[in-house]
Amino acid sequence: MGFVEAFKCVESLFTEAISISNPSLIDQNGVYLIFNNSKPVSLVEDRVSFILVLVANSFSGKNGLSTVLDEYRNKIINNPFNIRVDGVSRAELLSSTLFSVAINISVEVNMESDYESI
């Protein structure tokens, strides 16, 4: 799986997520996806990291942040791809009226077949 496939896997798992470049763009509840970085694991493997930001108008309740967090954590655990959770933390937003968390996720990219053809 290369970078293109990794992006497609993440986007297909979180179809409702809005891809953005920076958390400062978040001004309402929803699900947002941000490319974070890529780190080499070996000569031909990288771990591509994304931040999934979940934003809600309340912490608890039917559509509160805690409920949404549980739903997404289960969605990631049961995904058909090699996506894993690297941690969950508070998301830094400009709005003081929104509740938010950042789920750091990653997927492994293996470019071995591309490397062998060089």
Side-chain angles (χ1 to χ4, degrees):
M1 174 187 308
F3 283 95
V4 173
E5 292 87 0
F7 277 82
K8 286 181 181 179
C9 288
V10 171
E11 288 178 335
S12 69
L13 187 60
F14 308 110
T15 57
E16 67 287 353
I18 300 167
S19 294
I20 58 172
S21 60
N22 191 307
S24 66
L25 300 172
I26 300 172
D27 62 356
Q28 62 184 348
N29 63 343
V31 180
Y32 301 88
L33 183 64
I34 304 167
F35 168 75
N36 191 33
N37 63 41
S38 175
K39 293 182 180 178
V41 176
S42 70
L43 180 62
V44 294
E45 294 177 321
D46 288 353
R47 184 145 290 280
V48 182
S49 173
F50 298 87
I51 302 171
L52 188 65
V53 182
L54 309 178
V55 183
N57 293 321
S58 69
F59 184 72
S60 58
K62 184 177 179 183
N63 294 317
L65 185 60
S66 58
T67 303
V68 174
L69 180 57
D70 282 346
E71 290 171 11
Y72 276 84
R73 184 70 173 101
N74 286 329
K75 190 175 195 176
I76 296 166
I77 289 170
N78 297 311
N79 80 81
F81 311 110
N82 189 20
I83 298 171
R84 72 177 193 196
V85 173
D86 295 325
V88 179
S89 60
R90 179 175 53 93
E92 298 286 339
L93 301 183
L94 297 178
S95 172
S96 61
T97 60
L98 295 172
F99 294 84
S100 59
V101 293
I103 302 176
N104 296 293
I105 60 173
S106 62
V107 62
E108 197 172 291
V109 171
N110 187 324
M111 305 298 288
E112 188 168 7
S113 61
D114 291 343
Y115 181 74
E116 289 173 351
S117 65
I118 296 177

